[in-house]
Amino acid sequence: MALRLLITPGEPAGIGPDLVISIMQQPDRLPADLELIAVADPLLLQSRSARLARPVTLNHWRPGHGALARSGTLNVLPVNMAQREEPGKLNTANADYVLQTLQTAAQCCLNGQAHAMVTAPVHKGIINDAGTAFSGHTEFLAEFCQSELTVMMLATDGLRVALVTTHLPLKDVAAAITPARLTRIIEILHHDLQIKFNIADPHILVCGLNPHAGEGGHLGREEIDVIEPVLHNLRQRGMRLSGPLPADTLFTPKYLDTADAVLAMYHDQGLPVLKYKGFGRASNITLGLPIIRTSVDHGTALDLAGSGQADDGSLRTAINTACEMVKAQQSRAEVSCK
């Protein structure tokens, strides 16, 4: 059965449209059974294709119709922009268009018309400037899909890093790590590693919050008062959890070689390591949604838009990751039905 993925090009003035067009120049580097559909304004894709001198033929796609990826052909589910884009120049008039592409793709996945959605980068600032409070794809899709809580996880070859807190000022992180939140985050991570990655008994490494994981309370008590009790309770339920471990030593082969994922307490505790290991070859995955969603590990790169110099490696990784997750979920479902 073909894998049907919807892809949103993100900020129209950024490199997202370039990456989508680039991907379709070499579909042989994607899974052979992939149906890839861009949720975008056809005029945007035509304009950027001409600017890059990479011709593509656009096919208007309707839910329920097959569309295997072919070289130089791009299937499009049309969503119209308010104004024509200019590469590198943000325009608040098109902020709502960006959100509409996300809603359209997510709704198709919820309706079972697509297996997963893949997102190119958006520009948070311009969406907020246009009058819509927006902190990121993860939070937006959680609200749209009515998910009580989602987990951001980035993955590259040999390493998965999930986050307890995401886009928060550092001064607010400790207060946000409550027993209830930490418990639910680990439950979601454990569940989705089983269901969406088909890992029967996942082993999760959990970072401490403070340097040296609090040094027995001398450098902070969050490990003693919050993290350790939560881990103890979840271990009683059969979860394989190691920690809290000092983040400065956790990311070493001694620990990682036996782990399926790392749980970091905040954004810049875990992601610098992952991006050092695999920047340009990593994908951003939203756990806790009723759908599969992956994304790139980089931003809009306005200075590269329309230049032909943007690297499509992360988007290609996000597409391949989504395909692997769909197949893992289908495999697990088939075993459960036997």
Side-chain angles (χ1 to χ4, degrees), residues 211-295:
H212 300 180
E215 197 77 71
H218 295 290
L219 297 177
R221 291 194 55 85
E222 285 81 6
E223 288 77 12
I224 295 171
D225 295 339
V226 178
I227 301 174
E228 289 178 359
V230 167
L231 299 187
H232 174 76
N233 290 338
L234 293 175
R235 289 188 191 107
Q236 297 297 105
R237 292 165 48 184
M239 295 187 193
R240 285 204 297 148
L241 306 171
S242 296
L245 296 166
D248 64 341
T249 55
L250 179 155
F251 290 99
T252 57
K254 172 184 175 181
Y255 294 105
L256 294 180
D257 285 352
T258 63
D260 296 298
V262 173
L263 181 64
M265 291 295 123
Y266 57 94
H267 188 281
D268 283 12
Q269 182 183 54
L271 297 194
V273 180
L274 184 134
K275 291 191 176 185
Y276 177 77
K277 177 177 173 59
F279 189 73
R281 304 181 312 280
S283 56
N284 186 338
I285 304 160
T286 304
L287 306 180
L289 294 175
I291 63 176
I292 290 174
R293 177 259 170 170
T294 67
S295 188

Side-chain angles (χ1 to χ4, degrees), residues 4-139:
R4 183 171 296 147
L5 269 60
L6 301 179
I7 182 168
T8 58
E11 168 53 49
I15 61 171
D18 306 48
L19 300 179
V20 173
I21 291 166
S22 175
I23 287 288
M24 296 316 301
Q25 302 299 314
Q26 295 179 297
D28 55 309
R29 295 174 60 192
L30 300 172
D33 55 351
L34 174 63
E35 295 180 4
L36 192 63
I37 300 101
V39 183
D41 190 322
L43 293 178
L44 165 65
L45 298 173
Q46 288 175 342
S47 171
R48 195 62 61 87
S49 170
R51 187 181 185 96
L52 296 170
R54 293 179 175 178
V56 293
T57 300
L58 302 183
N59 289 334
H60 284 218
W61 178 80
R62 299 191 308 276
H65 290 252
L68 285 176
R70 291 183 293 126
S71 179
T73 300
L74 182 56
N75 302 295
V76 184
L77 176 56
V79 177
N80 296 327
M81 291 191 302
Q83 296 180 10
R84 292 198 65 172
E85 104 296 347
E86 186 172 347
K89 295 189 178 181
L90 298 169
N91 185 349
T92 55
N94 288 325
D96 188 58
Y97 154 79
V98 173
L99 300 180
Q100 286 180 33
T101 63
L102 297 177
Q103 292 171 341
T104 300
Q107 192 61 58
C108 282
C109 291
L110 289 171
N111 293 345
Q113 296 164 331
H115 294 105
M117 63 181 289
V118 180
T119 61
V122 299
H123 194 286
K124 301 181 185 70
I126 201 66
I127 296 174
N128 282 281
D129 289 345
T132 299
F134 184 88
S135 58
H137 277 111
T138 303
E139 296 83 357

